[in-house]
Amino acid sequence: MALPSSPPLPPEVTEDIDIPSSPPLLPTSAALPALPNRKRPLPDYDNNISSDPLFSEDPSEAEDQTEYEQPKRKRMVKGPWWTLGRKSSQQSAPRPKEDFRNADSGVWLGSDESIDSLLNNARDLNVAERIPTSSIAVHPPPLSQGERVAVSAIAGCLEAGRDAVDLSALGLEQLSSETLKPLHQLILQSHSTLTEPPSEDEFVALTPSIKLFLARNQLRSLPAELFRLENVTVLSLRSNDLTELPYAIARLRNLKELNIAGNNIRWLPWELMRFLERQEDGRRIIVRPNPLIEPTRIEGPSPLSGLAIQTNNEDLSRWSDTKEYYEGLRRSCMEHGPLNIRAELELRLKYGRLLRIQYLQEASRAGREVSLGPEELIYLASSAIRWYHVDGKPLQKPRQDQDLHQATLNPLNDAPEISGSSFAPSLFELASRSVQKEFDLQDVPADIPSTVKLALGAAVRGLEVGNQTCSTCARAFITARAEWIEYWHSGSPSQTDLKQEDILPFLRKVCSWRCAVPTAAGEFRC
Amino acid sequence: MASTNPPTEYITLVSSDDYSFVIRRSAACISPAIKRMLDPANGFIESQTNTCRLDNINGLVLEKVCEYLYYNEKHKDAKDVADMDLPMELVLELLMAADYLNGMFCI
């Protein structure tokens, strides 16, 4: 009895039967101070008391609850909405404490406000911390002198509704996507002289046909934005330092004129084939001069010139005959010695031409309309195919003594076990494509293998301009499995001899080993 | 687990968390790494037990990998194959797994 505070516990444990007196204690001591620790002693009650005390006194409990909930609701409303979620989750610990103070005496009431204001301050601080991180403006690197001129030139065109954008000879070393972006908004000027009624031909669409001149700069690469400008019809990249024409050039569907003369381009993307195929609607491409790779040296008189070869079109009425004829030609040439690449190229050119003539004859007989371009496109030869692993590593190390790009008669020479491979995309490819779709590729984990990093790098580039499509099956891919050069003859049909400057090299890439099938001899495009 | 001289039709892949997947040998050998493990000429223990432990691939991912292996085998000669659906939350891990299963250039 000397100690008033300690006894309550022992009696509870020892005198189990007398306990009914204790339940009332709970609600009455509902005086909130007890609330926080109401939960913790719960296990103690377990031994005998069922839960009925809690349910027995409904009114007081309801009262209890309202009292309990009100401050909660009030607090929920406080503060800006974006801290709500955080507050309720993070500050659940301090809450009972505050309750405790509120319900206590007035002593704490004064300081309550101050705590609130403190909290507010903290929140403000939080906000101040958070806003900059989420919306930090990444300052672009300062523009070069030339690019600033370009920006103002583009702004001028936009203003005046001019669709000829002249950015030539500005000394541009690079061009950012941002600079070109305003060109999306370019529309032509509509009827402006209000003194006269508009003439008939003014009722046309205001869609511009942008003519973009980037000639005589030092561009090494082209911005991705350029390939999103669908209205570009004339693109001049003459006299720059480009080493490769990106495959994305195919995305400029309305392109009519392309000038890439005077760069360091060694081959054209296969995608440009489509551009060359349809020359009938006035499409023009100026490729040379460029250090284009060559199938083989072509100089001196043709090796076939010594042989009496005449083509008699009358005899050639069916495709199979042409094939026989071609084989016959080859055999007769072989008699004079082994066939070198150049002779083979010339034979194939003849063969392709024959097939083309036959095709045209047949079409005219059937009454079909064939749109003829001024130039013919005839397949000549391929280089050896370079094979890649799933992750883009080359299968074999290139041999030093071998010219990779030289035309060869059997490009599938070093082929790996193609039969074992599948048309289905590799898991690596599938996964990297999904990653490209779903994730922010800017912050990939740092500890990934270098091959994966390379693939993701390619995926980032693919994201900018669209993934490359397989030149055989037209499926999009990120990592090419094989690539090779194809040489096509592009010249006027009237010219009989094979000339170096009529041969265009195209780089073909495919999505699977099974797709790596070079064009067959005799292929042509009209 | 008796060592069998003629190669069995099915082999077992065991994930890092000890899930095992029994799949056809022909499908498993699409992966160059697994193929090398199982090749008796290389003398790895895997070729004796016909069981590959893949300690850096967990069960969830390995299940998808097995699904892919069958998908690949099934569509070997089919053109215009629809892409297999990969669950978004696994793609990064699958990418790593794919890299691992294709890699290992050391013979």
Side-chain angles (χ1 to χ4, degrees):
Chain A
M1 288 308 278
L3 302 168
S5 61
S6 59
L9 262 179
E12 263 187 31
V13 184
T14 49
E15 302 171 39
D16 282 347
I17 314 131
D18 278 355
I19 284 167
S21 62
S22 64
L25 254 175
L26 255 176
T28 44
S29 75
L32 287 162
L35 270 179
N37 38 10
R38 192 171 62 173
K39 276 194 181 143
R40 257 170 278 150
L42 212 69
D44 287 6
Y45 295 132
D46 276 356
N47 33 12
N48 254 331
I49 307 168
S50 60
S51 55
D52 47 352
L54 267 177
F55 292 104
S56 61
E57 284 168 318
D58 279 339
S60 70
E61 225 216 341
E63 199 184 271
D64 185 12
Q65 245 176 19
T66 49
E67 223 182 299
Y68 193 20
E69 265 179 10
Q70 233 149 10
K72 210 187 212 170
R73 211 177 296 143
K74 202 170 165 192
R75 207 171 305 111
M76 287 293 281
V77 186
K78 264 191 269 175
W81 59 269
W82 63 81
T83 55
L84 278 186
R86 291 174 78 231
K87 233 189 113 188
S88 59
S89 65
Q90 288 182 353
Q91 300 188 337
S92 53
R95 185 171 302 140
K97 229 179 186 174
E98 269 181 89
D99 283 352
F100 180 77
R101 279 178 199 139
N102 276 339
D104 212 11
S105 60
V107 179
W108 289 100
L109 280 178
S111 64
D112 196 29
E113 252 179 60
S114 65
I115 279 179
D116 249 6
S117 61
L118 263 179
L119 271 177
N120 273 337
N121 279 346
R123 249 178 255 136
D124 287 349
L125 267 180
N126 261 344
V127 171
E129 265 170 30
R130 285 174 48 189
I131 284 181
T133 53
S134 59
S135 63
I136 277 182
V138 182
H139 291 291
L143 297 178
S144 66
Q145 174 75 32
E147 193 149 4
R148 255 176 282 146
V149 178
V151 168
S152 61
I154 287 177
C157 287
L158 230 58
E159 193 75 21
R162 260 182 291 132
D163 56 4
V165 184
D166 189 359
L167 306 179
S168 54
L170 295 178
L172 295 172
E173 282 178 14
Q174 57 173 10
L175 193 61
S176 68
S177 283
E178 290 304 313
T179 309
L180 286 180
K181 220 166 227 168
L183 282 179
H184 282 291
Q185 289 137 28
L186 180 64
I187 50 167
L188 295 179
Q189 199 76 276
S190 60
H191 179 62
S192 51
T193 50
L194 296 169
T195 49
E196 301 163 26
S199 65
E200 194 75 12
D201 51 301
E202 265 177 273
F203 290 102
V204 287
L206 295 178
T207 317
S209 45
I210 298 174
K211 301 167 193 66
L212 187 55
F213 301 101
L214 289 165
R216 284 182 285 137
N217 287 300
Q218 281 106 47
L219 294 175
R220 290 170 176 282
S221 60
L222 297 171
E225 196 62 39
L226 174 60
F227 305 108
R228 293 200 201 104
L229 295 167
E230 290 212 341
N231 292 323
V232 169
T233 54
V234 177
L235 179 60
S236 172
L237 301 167
R238 186 169 52 88
S239 303
N240 278 292
D241 292 335
L242 301 174
T243 52
E244 203 173 2
L245 197 60
Y247 62 87
I249 194 82
R251 295 190 47 173
L252 301 175
R253 288 208 198 89
N254 297 316
L255 198 60
K256 292 272 187 295
E257 246 187 279
L258 177 65
N259 188 344
I260 52 169
N263 285 288
N264 282 321
I265 293 172
R266 302 191 63 205
W267 51 73
L268 306 175
W270 176 254
E271 284 76 5
L272 212 58
M273 216 32 195
R274 249 186 294 163
F275 182 81
L276 284 166
E277 266 169 37
R278 287 178 289 151
Q279 291 171 329
E280 75 278 6
D281 48 358
R283 296 189 179 204
R284 228 151 56 86
I285 176 169
I286 300 167
V287 178
R288 282 165 213 277
N290 260 315
L292 296 174
I293 50 175
E294 302 168 351
T296 180
R297 280 240 59 84
I298 296 180
E299 52 191 4
S302 159
L304 298 183
S305 58
L307 316 168
I309 294 172
Q310 68 276 9
T311 54
N312 195 342
N313 291 340
E314 302 308 311
D315 301 343
L316 302 164
S317 52
R318 283 204 311 278
W319 296 70
S320 54
D321 293 345
T322 327
K323 177 102 185 159
E324 262 168 45
Y325 174 75
Y326 165 65
E327 294 297 335
L329 265 184
R330 271 192 74 172
R331 264 192 309 266
S332 66
C333 291
M334 300 271 246
E335 285 166 14
H336 296 262
L339 214 55
N340 66 1
I341 284 275
R342 183 176 169 200
E344 177 69 30
L345 293 186
E346 297 204 356
L347 277 179
R348 285 188 184 179
L349 177 61
K350 282 197 199 314
Y351 180 42
R353 273 186 179 157
L354 285 177
L355 285 177
R356 178 170 176 269
I357 292 169
Q358 258 182 352
Y359 170 77
L360 294 178
Q361 281 173 349
E362 222 145 276
S364 70
R365 231 173 278 151
R368 263 180 294 142
E369 192 75 25
V370 179
S371 49
L372 261 185
E375 302 198 330
E376 56 179 5
L377 266 178
I378 291 170
Y379 169 74
L380 293 178
S382 300
S383 73
I385 294 180
R386 272 159 292 158
W387 308 90
Y388 295 103
H389 280 290
V390 165
D391 49 11
K393 276 192 205 145
L395 198 62
Q396 300 125 337
K397 286 207 176 102
R399 273 171 279 163
Q400 292 299 320
D401 56 323
Q402 194 185 14
D403 185 2
L404 280 176
H405 307 305
Q406 196 114 60
T408 163
L409 291 182
N410 33 1
L412 289 166
N413 223 0
D414 297 335
E417 256 183 79
I418 294 182
S419 56
S421 68
S422 163
F423 274 117
S426 70
L427 183 59
F428 190 80
E429 173 72 31
L430 276 176
S432 50
R433 234 182 288 159
S434 308
V435 169
Q436 183 190 40
K437 236 183 289 169
E438 313 277 2
F439 285 94
D440 180 9
L441 291 165
Q442 299 306 327
D443 55 51
V444 286
D447 55 340
I448 53 176
S450 59
T451 47
V452 179
K453 239 178 234 170
L454 273 180
L456 290 183
V460 171
R461 259 169 280 131
L463 211 54
E464 281 172 355
V465 290
N467 286 337
Q468 192 160 12
T469 53
C470 173
S471 61
T472 304
C473 69
R475 254 195 324 206
F477 67 87
I478 289 178
T479 315
R481 299 298 307 280
E483 62 176 33
W484 68 96
I485 302 278
E486 280 193 2
Y487 295 96
W488 287 67
H489 178 266
S490 158
S492 74
S494 56
Q495 188 191 359
T496 50
D497 286 345
L498 183 66
K499 277 202 194 138
Q500 194 76 66
E501 56 265 28
D502 290 334
I503 301 176
L504 292 180
F506 291 94
L507 178 67
R508 268 186 84 166
K509 293 189 180 185
V510 288
C511 67
S512 71
W513 285 354
R514 293 283 282 272
C515 282
V517 187
T519 314
E523 277 283 315
F524 62 91
R525 307 273 197 275
C526 282
Chain B
M1 288 299 160
S3 67
T4 45
N5 273 344
T8 52
E9 196 188 344
Y10 287 87
I11 60 117
T12 312
L13 302 179
V14 184
S15 70
S16 61
D17 39 6
D18 283 329
Y19 284 95
S20 46
F21 298 86
V22 180
I23 80 167
R24 262 209 310 279
R25 180 183 291 268
S26 55
C29 284
I30 286 166
S31 154
I34 296 180
K35 188 177 182 181
R36 218 168 289 138
M37 282 185 198
L38 292 173
D39 189 356
N42 289 335
F44 292 123
I45 190 96
E46 281 90 347
S47 60
Q48 302 268 308
T49 58
N50 289 319
T51 304
C52 296
R53 275 206 73 92
L54 303 166
D55 278 332
N56 42 5
I57 303 179
N58 68 31
L60 272 176
V61 176
L62 192 56
E63 186 187 353
K64 270 286 158 195
V65 169
C66 292
E67 194 183 326
Y68 171 78
L69 290 173
Y70 276 126
Y71 159 86
N72 187 303
E73 197 188 38
K74 183 181 165 196
H75 296 294
K76 207 168 186 180
D77 300 312
K79 288 194 172 176
D80 294 328
V81 189
D83 286 355
M84 193 177 104
D85 273 338
L86 301 179
M88 200 255 276
E89 64 277 11
L90 289 184
V91 284
L92 258 182
E93 283 172 85
L94 276 169
L95 188 61
M96 304 294 187
D99 183 55
Y100 173 74
L101 292 174
N102 285 305
M104 309 222 307
F105 290 100
C106 44
I107 298 179

